[in-house]
């Protein structure tokens, strides 16, 4: 595995053991390659993670080995990496690491962290998201190009309802993410409601191409707007995170003129450093903006008042939420016998 090496990361010295351990055999990328990648894109991934409670997706033996999600801050974490106390839907809580410098990212890479999953909050206010995150998820029969077409319509919706600016990125797979920086004054429930309103508006505009149906049996060959990615404790891979696939793709921030032109396979552990060296972080100004959700929440209220469109199902591990419809898939509901009259 080779002798341990020490890397300089933003004024910190981070020790990397077994630097030659193979993490991506198909491409020949080692643990040292992973750590050097995160150094190369350091300002970008730090912008995406700074002050955010972050779950670590770890592959200690490389992409072909066992993996796990680490929500609680590791016991051996250096004291210079701060934490935040967060509460899960179950009522349980934990302290999660909150990167504030590039050294924290490299330290996590030492322990096999490929992907970083930050919460949409900062550690000084963990109950009020400062990002509206919209996940365009291709369903069977659709692909990235379909997601890209939906993303351009999403851009128009955001602009129409509040003059919101979204920041697009590849998921590292077939999908697209669009993040909107918002004022941190709404709860997770309200932000989720805004995401549902966006999805419904997109569904009205592109009924044959976009769906907000939670149950897979109802989605068809359409792009699913996964509104539940805005629920508490649901996270999305950060910009610049390496994804756990054999070819080492990364979640790549894009300019809007690249959406539908560039493709996910263009961005990986080998190609992103060169792009970053040339262009820098194309989302560098994201934190300079803070938008209001009032127009989207007004849309949600009109949907409910005028069309009877209330809440939608939560993920299965969540407790029953106020106002939530029955959490049962339609095909099962049809088979259930109606109650017998007394």
């Amino acid at each position: 595995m080779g002798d341990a090496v020490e890397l300089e990361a933003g004024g910190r010295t981070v020790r990397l053991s077994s630097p030659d351990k193979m993490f991506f055999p198909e491409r020949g990328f080692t643990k040292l390659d992973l750590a050097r990648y995160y150094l190369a894109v350091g300002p970008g991934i730090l912008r995406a993670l700074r002050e955010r409670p972050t779950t670590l997706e770890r592959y200690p033996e490389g992409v072909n080995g066992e993996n796990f999600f680490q929500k609680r801050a590791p016991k051996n974490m250096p004291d210079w990496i701060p934490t935040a106390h967060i509460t899960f839907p179950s009522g349980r809580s934990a302290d999660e690491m909150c990167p504030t410098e590039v050294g924290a990212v490299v330290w996590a890479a030492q322990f096999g962290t490929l992907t970083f999953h930050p919460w949409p909050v900062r550690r000084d206010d963990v109950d009020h998201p400062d990002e509206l995150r919209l996940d365009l998820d291709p369903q069977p029969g659709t692909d990235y190009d379909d997601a890209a077409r939906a993303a351009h319509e999403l851009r128009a919706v955001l602009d129409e309802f509040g003059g919101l600016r979204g920041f697009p990125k590849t998921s590292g797979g077939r999908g697209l993410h669009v993040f909107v920086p918002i004022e941190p004054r709404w709860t997770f429930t309200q932000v989720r409601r805004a995401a549902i309103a966006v999805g419904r508006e997109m569904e009205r505009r592109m009924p044959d191409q976009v769906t907000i149906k939670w149950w897979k049996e109802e989605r068809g060959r359409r792009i699913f707007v996964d509104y539940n990615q805005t629920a508490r404790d649901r996270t999305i891979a950060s910009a610049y995170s390496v994804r756990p696939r054999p070819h080492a793709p990364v979640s790549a921030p894009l300019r809007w003129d690249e959406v539908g032109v560039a493709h996910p396979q263009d961005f990986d552990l080998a190609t992103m450093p060169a792009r970053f060296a040339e262009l820098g972080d194309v989302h560098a100004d994201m934190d300079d903006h803070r938008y209001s959700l009032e127009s989207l929440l007004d849309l949600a209220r009109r949907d409910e008042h005028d069309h009877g469109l209330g809440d939608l199902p939560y993920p299965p591990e969540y407790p029953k939420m106020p106002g939530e419809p029955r959490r049962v898939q339609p095909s099962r509901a049809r088979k259930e016998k109606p109650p017998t009259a007394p």
Side-chain angles (χ1 to χ4, degrees), residues 27 48 50 94 103 115 126 140 160 164 166 186 223 251 266 310 326 330:
R27 300 291 303 278
R50 186 181 284 111
T115 308
V126 296
E160 182 174 335
L164 311 181
W186 292 278
I223 299 298
S251 180
D266 298 334
R326 291 184 65 202

Side-chain angles (χ1 to χ4, degrees), residues 144 167-172 175-179 236-240 243 251-254 259 283:
Y144 176 82
F167 291 75
K169 69 182 185 70
T170 66
S171 67
L176 268 166
H177 303 149
V178 178
F179 286 10
I236 294 178
S238 78
Y240 300 102
R243 305 313 310 275
S251 180
L254 301 175
V259 174
H283 291 180

